[in-house]
Amino acid sequence: MLPIALLPERGSTYALNVDTAFWIIFYLSLVFFVIINVALIVFIIKYRRKPEDEEPGAPISHNTKLEIIWTIIPTILLFVIFWFGYRAYAKVKWPDKKPRLEIKITARQWGWTAEYPDGKKIITGTIKDNRAITEKDFPPIIFVPAGEPVQLLLTSTDVIHSFYVPAFRSKYDAIPGRYTKIWFQAKKPGEYPVFCTEYCGKWHSRMPAKVIALPPKKFDRFINIPVDKFNSTLANMPLDSIYAVLNLSDKEFEEWSGAQEKLLASLTPAERGKLLAQKLCVSCHSLDGSPGIGPTWKGLFGHEVELADGRKVVADENYLRESILDPQAKVVKGFQPVMPSFQGQLTEEQIMDIIEFIKTLK
Ligand code: CUA
């Protein structure tokens, strides 16, 4: 290993296998780089043509001993590379034991949606301003149990993305119209950054997320939260608050969820829509009339919009709903057809909430 931190900590059970293959290839390359370049320089100096040397040397046909050596040694080295490489590949590809659960990850321009088997859903958005991304900008995308294998089923709604957890050495493409699989087992509880590593457009570098590995007990609490309760509360909370909630005693937790339900019940649909929009929509649609990737929402509702094909439509509920589910159906003049569909990502109720919010932006 190098004395500098070239790779992040090894957070998954197979990280060491991947690193071993990496370092073996790295050091083999380094050794041969030195041998070849030193020989190159020595030979250039030693065997350079001297001014008085006009005769070509004696012809050399071959050297059997040398040729056997330089065939056998590299062959052995290639088998070594293959062995460690294949072992790492096999470990990453096939879980040691049956994964505890499978989480569906859907990538979009530009963010991730995670869905648990019971329907729990977490969505991350785009960091759109131009400041440098800090540690705080990594929102949780999945919660997993430390010490247990977890399977991810990846896909994409628009272009190819790639789900990469450097600490786990887990990386796999999320491809539209296809499912790909990756699994991992976190060694210990912690927070592990996720990056998109397939160039996917303007904000490719700004769809950060985080895998949260929880101690088994806390994960049980997380997984046992009823889906409707989770999606309406925890899914929208900052990480600190989620941790705080997962640390509550059973009784405190009951009280908390009761209070949350009351609080949510007190929100108007427009207020609920605003919470959602801030997460999902405002990276492209401004709320104040300023230009963006998509049309501003200010003064949108009830007004006539001109489409790219010259038609004119009124932005009513049906138009907005259609534009959320099938954005390419009626593209507004002057804008690119780049919006991803939110079909299957949002419930009818959530779509209504967002529309109610748009109505308030006069
Ligand atoms: Cu998504 Cu790059």
Side-chain angles (χ1 to χ4, degrees):
M1 315 296 124
L2 282 185
I4 50 165
L6 198 59
L7 303 176
E9 64 164 319
R10 298 192 188 102
S12 73
T13 46
Y14 56 56
L16 183 62
N17 296 90
V18 176
D19 286 11
T20 305
F22 174 79
W23 287 117
I24 283 174
I25 296 169
F26 177 85
Y27 279 110
L28 276 175
S29 308
L30 189 68
V31 165
F32 279 95
F33 177 82
V34 170
I35 292 175
I36 290 167
N37 281 280
V38 167
L40 183 74
I41 292 165
V42 168
F43 287 6
I44 285 173
I45 296 168
K46 193 169 173 200
Y47 296 111
R48 74 187 190 283
R49 190 172 71 84
K50 292 167 188 103
E52 67 280 8
D53 185 4
E54 291 295 336
E55 288 295 308
I60 299 167
S61 80
H62 69 285
N63 183 326
T64 309
K65 211 204 251 163
L66 195 61
E67 280 169 20
I68 289 174
I69 290 173
W70 79 35
T71 304
I72 289 182
I73 292 180
T75 305
I76 293 171
L77 291 179
L78 284 177
F79 274 108
V80 170
I81 291 175
F82 172 78
W83 169 245
F84 284 100
Y86 180 76
R87 244 175 42 137
Y89 174 80
K91 282 266 186 187
V92 173
K93 187 83 188 159
W94 300 292
D96 312 327
K97 48 182 177 178
K98 202 174 172 297
R100 161 137 182 212
L101 77 162
E102 185 178 77
I103 306 167
K104 248 177 75 185
I105 306 264
T106 308
R108 63 166 202 289
Q109 285 171 317
W110 291 271
W112 309 94
T113 303
E115 195 174 6
Y116 283 77
D118 66 352
K120 281 195 185 71
K121 206 177 241 184
I122 307 176
I123 306 180
T124 67
T126 318
I127 311 287
K128 227 200 70 180
D129 37 20
N130 280 319
R131 71 196 157 77
I133 288 189
T134 67
E135 244 172 77
K136 286 202 188 87
D137 292 316
F138 289 75
I141 181 65
I142 44 173
F143 293 83
V144 299
E148 288 186 78
V150 171
Q151 174 109 47
L152 304 183
L153 189 63
L154 303 166
T155 190
S156 164
T157 61
D158 36 50
V159 299
I160 302 178
H161 303 259
S162 185
F163 191 85
Y164 180 34
V165 193
F168 292 172
R169 312 294 188 268
S170 309
K171 182 198 275 186
Y172 221 95
D173 279 5
I175 303 167
R178 195 190 295 183
Y179 292 110
T180 47
K181 277 182 182 177
I182 183 100
W183 81 281
F184 55 74
Q185 176 173 329
K187 281 204 293 204
K188 57 177 176 36
E191 300 177 10
Y192 306 95
V194 176
F195 297 90
C196 179
T197 46
E198 183 67 59
Y199 180 67
C200 55
K202 190 178 177 192
W203 301 104
H204 154 71
S205 63
R206 304 185 83 85
M207 46 188 291
K210 205 163 18 184
V211 173
I212 313 286
L214 295 168
K217 264 215 165 127
K218 258 187 238 177
F219 180 77
D220 290 343
R221 159 151 287 163
F222 164 82
I223 207 71
N224 288 329
I225 298 171
V227 54
D228 50 340
K229 219 175 257 184
F230 178 85
N231 285 346
S232 58
T233 57
L234 281 167
N236 295 308
M237 285 166 60
L239 192 57
D240 293 350
S241 330
I242 299 177
Y243 276 145
V245 169
L246 294 176
N247 278 328
L248 296 176
S249 71
D250 289 344
K251 193 163 160 277
E252 289 168 333
F253 182 73
E254 274 312 305
E255 282 166 15
W256 173 83
S257 43
Q260 280 296 318
E261 258 162 26
K262 253 189 224 138
L263 185 70
L264 266 160
S266 74
L267 288 184
T268 65
E271 283 167 337
R272 288 195 305 259
K274 186 177 181 186
L275 286 178
L276 262 175
Q278 278 167 341
K279 207 161 170 183
L280 299 178
C281 318
V282 299
S283 60
C284 296
H285 299 281
S286 79
L287 307 180
D288 58 3
S290 58
I293 296 170
T296 183
W297 283 359
K298 190 182 164 65
L300 172 63
F301 188 83
H303 288 87
E304 200 171 68
V305 286
E306 196 178 346
L307 304 180
D309 58 13
R311 278 181 300 164
K312 287 195 173 117
V313 291
V314 172
D316 59 7
E317 286 93 344
N318 282 317
Y319 167 77
L320 293 175
R321 180 176 176 279
E322 183 185 40
S323 294
I324 292 170
L325 297 177
D326 184 12
Q328 263 62 277
K330 296 192 175 87
V331 177
V332 177
K333 190 173 181 175
F335 292 93
Q336 296 297 312
V338 291
M339 179 170 154
S341 166
F342 284 85
Q343 183 90 49
Q345 314 279 311
L346 296 171
T347 63
E348 285 297 333
E349 196 187 18
Q350 288 173 316
I351 293 171
M352 281 299 286
D353 289 348
I354 291 174
I355 293 172
E356 287 306 312
F357 173 58
I358 295 176
K359 283 185 188 175
T360 66
L361 300 166
K362 301 225 167 64

